[in-house]
Each structure stands twice: as C-alpha cells, then as structure tokens.
Amino acid sequence: MKFLAKTTMARKAADAAIGATKKALIEMGRKHGWNIALVHPAHTTMDCAQCGARTKHALPLSERTYACSVCGAVSPRDKNSARVMLVRAGWNPDGAEGTRPAGALLPEAA
C-alpha cells in the first residue's frame, strides 16, 4: 500500500477522481440552479476569518482552536477555516451562526 501511494499513477488517479467530483458538482449545480464557487484551499487554516490576517506558522493538527494574534478572534479551527472559504467565495457569513430561518421547525418538532 505504501508503494502505491508514492507512485505517479496513484497520484494521477487521485487527481482524476477529484476532477470528476468537481465536474459532477458543477453539473448538479447548473441543473438545480445552485451557486457554485470553487475556492482554493491553501492557507484556509492559517487565515483569520474576521480580519484576514495570516499566522506566521502552520498550526499543528493537535491544536483545535484558532486564535488570531492581530484581532484576538478565537474560534474552533474547522469553523474558522469554513468561514475563510465562505469569505473567499464572496459570501458574507456574519450573523448567520446560531440562527434559524423564519418558519423553520425545531429538530424535535419535525
């Protein structure tokens, strides 16, 4: 298994699978009228979603909380990364967390 992971053939197959998935998502988006935005994932865990500042060092995977040294924002690492992607895609996620659309049912009432 380790040998296959290092071969160029395995990397090409993985790249082809990613490309096919992107193509399928874009097709489904067009079919259903969704807004699809492809966002480059580089540095999403190092950028601050609040102020856009980038940390000087890579965060280790064991560190699950992102803390910005510039603006002082603290949030879970994955949520910060997701917000960075939303901002890069052009959507403003401010104020959307913890809210429910008008008329939405509570999970226990559904």
Side-chain angles (χ1 to χ4, degrees):
M1 295 301 270
K2 288 182 181 181
F3 169 75
L4 285 176
K6 294 179 182 178
T7 64
T8 56
M9 186 170 62
R11 278 182 267 158
K12 287 179 183 179
D15 289 344
I18 291 170
T21 303
K22 282 182 183 179
K23 183 178 177 182
L25 283 173
I26 291 170
E27 283 180 23
M28 290 300 289
R30 283 192 194 124
K31 178 180 174 184
H32 295 288
W34 300 335
N35 291 327
I36 303 292
L38 298 178
V39 177
H40 196 278
H43 306 294
T44 55
T45 57
M46 295 174 63
D47 290 351
C48 178
Q50 299 290 332
C51 68
R54 183 170 293 162
T55 59
K56 302 293 181 197
H57 63 285
L59 297 173
L61 288 175
S62 61
E63 191 173 330
R64 301 308 305 162
T65 304
Y66 177 85
C68 181
S69 58
V70 176
C71 69
V74 177
S75 65
R77 177 185 178 138
D78 295 336
K79 283 191 175 187
N80 181 67
S81 180
R83 286 188 190 118
V84 168
M85 287 188 228
L86 287 173
V87 169
R88 286 184 185 177
W91 293 312
N92 187 4
D94 290 344
E97 185 169 302
T99 62
R100 183 171 283 127
L105 296 175
L106 295 174
E108 58 271 2

